[in-house]
Amino acid sequence: MKKYFLLLALSFFAVACNTEENNTDNNDGKEIPLEPGNSGNKTNKPKAIWIDAHANFSRFATKSAITSYMEKIKDTGFNEIYLDVKPGIGYALYDSDILPKLEKWGTETVTRDWDYLSFWLEEAERLDIDVIASISAMGFGYTKDKQGIIYDDSRWDGKTQVEMKNSDPNNLVDIRNQTDVDAAMLNPCLPEVQTYVISIIEEIVTKYPKLKGFSLDYCRWYGGNYGFSDATIQAFQTYSGETVTTRNDIITSTGGIGRLYNKWIEFRSMTITNLITNISSKIKAINPGIELHLWASADWGSRYSVGQNWASKSYSPAASSIYTADYSKTGFADQLDVFVLGAYADAVWISENPGSVWSVENFVNTYDNYTKGDCKVYGSIPAYSYDNKATSDAVYLCMKHTDGLMVFEISHVINKNSWSAIKEGINRVEK
């Protein structure tokens, strides 16, 4: 997961969200006490750390390195890990019969004669830590070096996401020819793409029954201007019953909202929701006990542009030039066991960024307006953004106001040496 880059501004025409929240936790800079009445009563919520494949490709080349850091993870208070086993390059960090083994990424080469995922599971079992396997659902290529499945196999020609640059229908660019993207992503509206992604998930869930859960990352369109291939336009016309005379019917030549824009938004969101629904059905058919997780930005008001309506189907935004009257049907919270709420804001407290939704405190206090109890929610924070005090505060807020914690990600925790700050934040709620 490449969320250690700054969060992309994903949407144009951003939707304003309600930002007025009672600032109940911020104690005007004073130290926040431990939770009253919690002495000796450990609630033992899930507390997870993400282990990104790219950022740690060489770090975990040996079993001894994995053992050492797993013990550090345990000592800090974590009881879960999210392990990236099929990152955006599209190769496997597990024993796959479908995907090539990931041994080279850019200039780094790591060769193992042992199963990466299996060893993490062995160490996790020894230390009583749960493992959630994660994949980049749509990512299948590293564009900077043109590595990955989409470059290796001609079957994916014409099946990657296409950007309409500068709102110009004559300027269509295949994502695999761009170098400023996190990964080259397949087109989720194509049945063969959905079948392929589900086959990878089926393989992992079947081969590794000791997994607690399976997590989807990059399960979306890459950005608001992506999805303009001929195949996607045809799928949209079939879905909507509308005729697209020009792509400017969707986004105008000046970058505005076209006459078909809200139906386009509904179609793109329904595409992702249908994929998630099919994934959930497949996982539960194999092993009903394995949880389905998904990470997405906590800013619900911008997710329409990438097709991620992580709300409940019972949450209905007002019909507008962005949302159709049926947009609520695209909500997918009910298909998840856990939504990992990406509260990736520079501000921890509302008072640091008043008048904006962008603070950890706001996100962890407002998510249920959207999910409405349809799934559990873990508050997730970026370790790269904060000093030790802010890290402790952000962990505290996630632990207090959500069902669990996920810290992104281990390389940043190592680089900033924020282990103790995370432990302190956990202990402010659990001691």
Side-chain angles (χ1 to χ4, degrees), residues 4 82 118 268 286 300 377:
Y4 46 86
Y82 285 79
S118 283
R268 292 165 94 248
I286 298 167
W300 185 89
V377 176

Side-chain angles (χ1 to χ4, degrees), residues 17-235:
C17 295
N18 181 8
T19 63
E20 293 299 318
E21 293 297 325
N22 291 326
N23 194 358
T24 56
D25 290 299
N26 191 351
N27 215 13
D28 296 323
K30 297 178 183 178
E31 185 63 28
I32 298 171
L34 296 166
E35 289 297 278
N38 202 34
S39 179
N41 180 23
K42 187 173 182 180
T43 59
N44 205 33
K45 288 183 176 181
K47 299 169 287 291
I49 189 167
W50 193 286
I51 298 166
D52 182 84
H54 198 184
N56 302 285
F57 187 50
S58 296
R59 175 174 283 115
F60 296 123
T62 65
K63 289 182 176 181
S64 60
I66 293 172
T67 296
S68 175
Y69 276 104
M70 279 293 275
E71 290 173 351
K72 184 71 172 175
I73 286 166
K74 177 72 173 182
D75 179 67
T76 302
F78 292 111
N79 53 20
E80 289 187 358
I81 62 170
Y82 285 79
L83 185 67
D84 194 2
V85 298
K86 200 290 291 177
I89 195 170
Y91 297 146
L93 283 167
Y94 67 95
D95 182 18
S96 178
D97 299 319
I98 300 171
L99 301 171
K101 184 182 291 186
L102 177 53
E103 295 185 323
K104 186 176 187 299
W105 199 329
T107 60
E108 292 182 276
T109 299
V110 174
T111 303
R112 301 179 182 88
D113 60 359
W114 44 277
D115 185 339
Y116 181 79
L117 175 51
S118 283
F119 189 73
W120 281 97
L121 281 164
E122 288 173 19
E123 289 299 276
E125 186 173 27
R126 178 176 69 84
L127 295 168
D128 194 25
I129 293 173
D130 291 317
V131 179
I132 296 104
S134 175
I135 68 166
S136 174
M138 290 293 111
F140 285 89
Y142 182 57
T143 65
K144 294 175 179 61
D145 286 341
K146 298 205 180 315
Q147 294 175 275
I149 291 295
I150 62 157
Y151 300 109
D152 300 339
D153 190 342
S154 61
R155 71 186 279 202
W156 302 118
D157 292 354
K159 296 172 184 173
T160 48
Q161 295 187 32
V162 171
E163 182 183 18
M164 182 168 69
K165 301 281 286 186
N166 303 316
S167 306
D168 180 357
N170 298 312
N171 190 1
L172 302 178
V173 182
D174 191 320
I175 194 171
R176 64 181 176 174
N177 297 324
Q178 300 175 322
T179 57
D180 58 345
V181 294
D182 296 342
M185 294 169 65
L186 290 174
N187 183 342
C189 81
L190 300 179
E192 57 267 46
V193 169
Q194 292 210 11
T195 298
Y196 185 64
V197 170
I198 291 171
S199 73
I200 293 167
I201 295 168
E202 179 180 16
E203 179 179 59
I204 296 170
V205 172
T206 300
K207 285 190 172 187
Y208 300 92
K210 290 186 178 180
L211 290 169
K212 180 189 180 185
F214 191 94
S215 182
L216 301 172
D217 192 25
Y218 285 98
C219 191
R220 56 177 172 86
W221 302 90
Y222 190 78
N225 291 323
Y226 287 79
F228 283 91
S229 67
D230 290 344
T232 311
I233 296 297
Q234 181 57 56

